[in-house]
Amino acid sequence: MMDVKRSAPGRNNFRSINSIIMRFPQFKEGLKEIRGVFEQYDEDSNGTIDLEELKKCLQKLQVELTEQEINDLFGSCDMDEIEGIQFNEFIVLLCLIYLLIDPATSSNTTSKMGSPQLKATFDTIIEAFLFLDKNGDGKLNKNDLVKALNEDSPWERSPAHISRTRFEEMDWDRNGNVSFREFLFSLVNWVGMDTDDEIPIIAC
């Protein structure tokens, strides 16, 4: 539905995949605020947001999309195809909406989603993806991930099976590329938004 591409050279705070992992607690804390937004738009309180509730959500957030774009957004985030957007899927949906909105109105829209911390969290997640996207084409491939895994300790390369496992966790549709949407779903799972347990350690 959309790609995240490096539009201009800029400063990136990430220097290795470990620096991304170290931000997991920050990601989790920032994304926790979305729970209240989810419950606000889950009007029938059934634990999912259906297509009609999504339309009302977009209307309240003042995000203008065509009927087809709304259907595409809903379909792309309903990963388990149970005809409803669950909480973890809603996190991904909101981040994709954040990418879709006009920068001139982004502050107004994100203020309706939550605090400025949420905007900062989305920006940091996008920054993490751009760090991993070594060739800047808006998608991650296995070579991108291998480079990221080995940048922290270039003299001690990660075993091939570790790189393969990490990539397979992100490549949901098994097409050999990881879109920003797939990266988001994986990150939400790694951070553990559906649990209050410790942040999982992603071995590399």
Side-chain angles (χ1 to χ4, degrees):
M1 182 177 178
M2 67 196 73
D3 287 333
V4 177
K5 296 186 179 180
R6 206 182 317 271
S7 57
R11 185 169 177 269
N12 193 303
N13 292 316
F14 295 110
R15 293 292 177 267
S16 70
I17 199 163
N18 281 336
S19 63
I20 295 175
I21 295 170
M22 292 297 290
R23 296 283 188 96
F24 279 10
Q26 176 187 328
F27 291 149
K28 184 171 185 176
E29 194 60 33
L31 295 174
K32 272 183 179 179
E33 296 188 20
I34 297 178
R35 174 68 71 177
V37 183
F38 178 81
E39 292 174 352
Q40 176 186 349
Y41 294 117
D42 179 20
E43 295 181 345
D44 56 9
S45 300
N46 69 344
T48 64
I49 289 180
D50 61 32
L51 187 56
E52 291 306 311
E53 289 171 330
L54 174 59
K55 290 177 182 178
K56 292 179 182 178
C57 170
L58 295 174
Q59 186 175 20
K60 289 179 182 177
L61 293 175
Q62 299 177 9
V63 177
E64 296 184 6
L65 298 175
T66 66
E67 190 77 16
Q68 185 60 53
E69 286 171 334
I70 293 174
N71 290 335
D72 288 346
L73 183 62
F74 184 86
S76 68
C77 292
D78 186 18
M79 291 291 282
D80 55 11
E81 299 181 344
I82 65 167
E83 298 302 321
I85 303 295
Q86 299 176 74
F87 175 60
N88 281 9
E89 296 169 330
F90 187 68
I91 294 174
V92 175
L93 184 144
L94 277 193
C95 193
L96 294 180
I97 289 175
Y98 178 66
L99 284 173
L100 284 170
I101 58 180
D102 186 335
T105 62
S106 62
S107 295
N108 182 45
T109 302
T110 49
S111 68
K112 295 174 184 293
M113 294 181 187
S115 75
Q117 183 183 2
L118 182 57
K119 178 181 182 298
T121 300
F122 284 160
D123 285 338
T124 305
I125 290 172
I126 293 169
E127 188 179 334
F129 180 83
L130 292 176
F131 165 75
L132 295 173
D133 181 17
K134 297 304 182 184
N135 63 5
D137 66 353
K139 297 182 289 291
L140 306 182
N141 57 48
K142 198 170 294 186
N143 288 336
D144 287 332
L145 190 60
V146 169
K147 287 180 182 178
L149 285 169
N150 291 316
E151 277 184 353
D152 205 29
S153 301
W155 56 87
E156 186 178 343
R157 297 182 63 82
S158 296
H161 74 278
I162 294 293
S163 302
R164 183 174 62 252
T165 300
R166 295 288 82 81
F167 187 79
E168 288 175 353
E169 287 173 357
M170 292 190 289
D171 185 16
W172 288 54
D173 59 10
R174 300 293 184 262
N175 70 346
N177 291 303
V178 174
S179 66
F180 181 64
R181 178 178 63 94
E182 290 173 311
F183 171 74
L184 276 173
F185 275 111
S186 299
L187 184 65
V188 168
N189 285 337
W190 290 340
V191 167
M193 288 306 301
D194 57 352
T195 177
D196 290 326
D197 296 337
E198 282 186 22
I199 302 297
I201 300 300
I202 307 299
C204 61

